[in-house]
Amino acid sequence: MKYVSEFRARDLAEKLAAQIAHEVRPDRTYHLMEFCGGHTHAIFRYGVQDLMPENVKFVHGPGCPVCVLPVRRLDDAVELAEKHGVILCTYGDMMRVPGTKQRSLIRAKADGADIRMIYSTLDALKIARENPDREVVFFAIGFETTTPPTAVAIMQAETEGLENFSVFCNHVLTPAAIGHILESPEVRDLGTVKIDGFLGPSHVSSVIGSEPYEFFAEEFAKPVVIAGFEPLDVMQSTLMLIRQINEGRAEVENEYARVVTREGNLKAQSLVSDVFELRQSFEWRGLGEVPYSALRIRDTHAALDAEKRFTVSEKKSREVKSCECPAILRGVKKPTDCKLFGTVCTPDNPMGSCMVSSEGACAAYWTYGRFRETAKEAEEAAA
Amino acid sequence: MCLAIPAKVMALEAGDMAVVALEGVKKRISVALLDDVAVDDYVLIHVGYALHKVSAEEAERTLALMAEAGVLKEELEEITGGAA
């Protein structure tokens, strides 16, 4: 329990750990999937796994928007910047993700493409205002927290009559991915993982509310606890999941009630539904095609849809051979199961998206987990 | 990119914009996603937009955690580096 000293509220962490140890049943295992990359990061940073009994396992899910974007969409963005000569704006996380032949946005930028890293869609609008003679495309990625700001930008551009602004939309939906992990035949073929319950995302839920998860609880009999980002939140939520599993309950509980409500941010939801509609299907890295799992821009706003304004060529996109990101994103494999991990693939030279984003499981393992893993293996070998 | 950082609203401006104070830095953000923001409220900011209101205690808790986890400086740099 050496990591417990890193907690601010050490006493509370110790009490929670003791309570969890007291309540777990020794005759069963508890596989808990955290969907949100923020939770993955917190679990590694604070060594939460080390505070758990042996039979409580965290399974790292596909909850990082950078990690789940398929290579083809990234290749399309590179093409928009290189062949169509647009000013391509995107969040910093996307810059280093390798596309086909290791080509990333940062490499395209170094080769002369006009790619700008922005913090906010407000910055993209500003760039469009300042460059009326250029086409400005916002390469939009993210889950439900990042989608409302894109909707506002589209509305704002329309109000202002900014004709040189458009959005390449790659926004994806959390509940659809969770459902897919639980039921799709493809995932079963590709290999699946036992999941007894979910730690629900916090900030995503602050926008969509906890209500969308009630379906899983009812339909798949899996408990969901919406968990805050703090490590103590993760531990408290774990305890709540263990209690539900022990009692045979499958409900949506909200550990993060100080921020998340059942209905979420209704104004944000209404803006999103004014601007976007469901795509019938969208490809996720690691999950393949997932029905109704992403958004596209409604026809009423078609003028601002980069997919309609520009044509990108049909091309063969390819991920790096032997990169295990897809299996890691499904929780089927651990980063250390990948041949590339820590050898050719490091945060300085990432081969896959899970090593790029700080919320990716590989980057988290690299930063906080790899020494522990090695020590554990050595211990086991010696025993 | 999933983190949201709490800040205090210092002034409201036209066009659903507001000025917030973040660890001594002032920043213009959008409050278009919230209906009833007032000066002195604390809001959680994600990619330049206030996502929801939080209590002063929650804001303090979150900032302390982010500082401890070593991500506060990084987030602040990203926020203040933006063009808006």
Side-chain angles (χ1 to χ4, degrees):
Chain A
M1 289 212 182
K2 59 183 174 161
Y3 288 90
V4 83
S5 61
E6 296 201 8
F7 284 90
R8 265 181 306 125
R10 180 180 167 161
D11 291 352
L12 200 48
E14 277 175 349
K15 270 187 203 149
L16 275 168
Q19 192 61 35
I20 289 169
H22 178 68
E23 294 197 22
V24 290
R25 295 195 180 148
D27 57 338
R28 62 155 304 155
T29 53
Y30 301 80
H31 289 95
L32 311 177
M33 177 175 267
E34 89 276 1
F35 187 89
C36 171
H39 289 149
T40 307
H41 196 82
I43 286 167
F44 279 105
R45 168 68 179 81
Y46 292 92
V48 175
Q49 180 70 70
D50 291 352
L51 299 173
M52 296 293 137
E54 278 293 307
N55 54 342
V56 176
K57 305 276 184 206
F58 291 110
V59 181
H60 316 300
C64 157
V66 173
C67 303
V68 297
L69 189 80
V71 164
R72 190 174 56 82
R73 301 292 286 188
L74 174 61
D75 288 348
D76 287 349
V78 171
E79 186 174 327
L80 280 174
E82 289 191 325
K83 291 204 182 132
H84 294 274
V86 310
I87 301 177
L88 187 84
C89 305
T90 195
Y91 297 129
D93 308 49
M94 274 317 300
M95 296 295 283
R96 291 170 56 245
V97 179
T100 298
K101 292 186 182 162
Q102 290 291 293
R103 194 141 183 82
S104 62
L105 290 171
I106 209 156
R107 287 208 183 164
K109 185 180 166 76
D111 291 342
D114 196 344
I115 295 168
R116 317 249 180 122
M117 199 173 93
I118 55 163
Y119 162 67
S120 168
T121 57
L122 298 167
D123 302 339
L125 291 172
K126 186 163 182 256
I127 291 167
R129 278 181 217 116
E130 288 168 354
N131 296 275
D133 305 332
R134 300 278 307 279
E135 284 284 339
V136 175
V137 176
F138 172 55
F139 179 20
I141 67 146
F143 289 107
E144 290 89 339
T145 26
T146 322
T147 309
T150 306
V152 174
I154 285 175
M155 293 236 180
Q156 180 71 27
E158 278 171 358
T159 309
E160 285 182 37
L162 268 179
E163 288 177 4
N164 61 328
F165 177 79
S166 59
V167 171
F168 179 40
C169 179
N170 295 279
H171 287 300
V172 285
L173 304 169
T174 313
I178 293 185
H180 191 76
I181 288 170
L182 288 172
E183 72 173 350
S184 92
E186 297 94 320
V187 167
R188 255 178 243 138
D189 290 344
L190 291 165
T192 192
V193 62
K194 185 171 156 43
I195 297 167
D196 300 298
F198 287 95
L199 290 163
S202 42
H203 290 139
V204 160
S205 308
S206 75
V207 173
I208 63 172
S210 61
E211 197 267 338
Y213 302 102
E214 289 170 9
F215 173 76
F216 302 106
E218 287 163 19
E219 201 65 21
F220 299 104
K222 299 287 178 195
V224 179
V225 174
I226 310 290
F229 271 123
E230 185 159 359
L232 288 173
D233 289 324
V234 173
M235 293 182 71
Q236 176 65 39
S237 306
T238 301
L239 180 59
M240 289 163 77
L241 279 174
I242 287 167
R243 283 181 182 160
Q244 282 206 50
I245 295 164
N246 284 349
E247 290 163 21
R249 286 184 295 126
E251 292 164 18
V252 175
E253 291 182 318
N254 185 4
E255 185 275 338
Y256 201 40
R258 56 190 197 269
V259 172
V260 174
T261 58
R262 183 171 182 269
E263 67 274 9
N265 182 337
L266 294 173
K267 189 175 185 190
Q269 289 170 31
S270 144
L271 281 162
V272 166
S273 78
D274 284 346
V275 171
F276 300 104
E277 62 188 7
L278 283 173
R279 286 181 199 262
Q280 281 196 335
S281 185
F282 192 75
E283 187 191 346
W284 290 54
R285 191 174 161 96
L287 301 182
E289 291 287 335
V290 183
Y292 302 107
S293 66
L295 298 172
R296 68 169 173 227
I297 297 166
R298 283 185 188 276
D299 278 345
T300 40
H301 306 272
L304 288 102
D305 189 345
E307 280 177 77
K308 298 213 167 84
R309 201 186 285 212
F310 305 95
T311 318
V312 290
S313 59
E314 286 292 321
K315 55 191 164 289
K316 278 208 163 154
S317 292
R318 219 161 25 89
E319 287 173 14
V320 174
K321 228 176 142 186
S322 26
C323 169
E324 296 276 16
C325 277
I328 290 161
L329 286 165
R330 289 197 307 274
V332 177
K333 288 192 175 175
K334 282 191 301 181
T336 43
D337 295 331
C338 177
K339 273 189 287 189
L340 305 181
F341 178 82
T343 53
V344 283
C345 184
T346 64
D348 287 335
N349 185 35
M351 294 288 132
S353 48
C354 298
M355 188 59 99
V356 177
S357 169
S358 63
E359 283 130 28
C362 293
Y365 251 68
W366 172 267
T367 313
Y368 304 116
R370 67 196 152 115
F371 299 118
R372 203 168 343 139
E373 287 289 319
T374 321
K376 217 162 113 190
E377 275 162 25
E379 220 170 81
E380 277 164 16
Chain B
M1 69 175 285
C2 292
L3 289 176
I5 186 168
K8 188 177 182 177
V9 177
M10 306 306 284
L12 294 169
E13 295 185 348
D16 280 334
M17 296 297 286
V19 176
V20 295
L22 277 160
E23 298 287 288
V25 180
K26 281 193 175 169
K27 174 77 184 169
R28 286 184 80 228
I29 58 137
S30 168
V31 289
L33 299 172
L34 294 176
D35 266 331
D36 50 349
V37 179
V39 170
D40 290 340
D41 278 349
Y42 282 87
V43 288
L44 270 187
I45 299 163
H46 178 60
V47 295
Y49 289 76
L51 278 185
H52 43 89
K53 290 206 274 187
V54 288
S55 65
E57 297 76 43
E58 174 65 18
E60 197 184 319
R61 233 168 95 97
T62 308
L63 284 171
L65 172 79
M66 292 175 82
E68 183 200 20
V71 293
L72 186 58
K73 197 166 160 269
E74 220 171 274
E75 289 289 310
L76 281 172
E77 274 167 10
E78 204 175 289
I79 285 167
T80 50

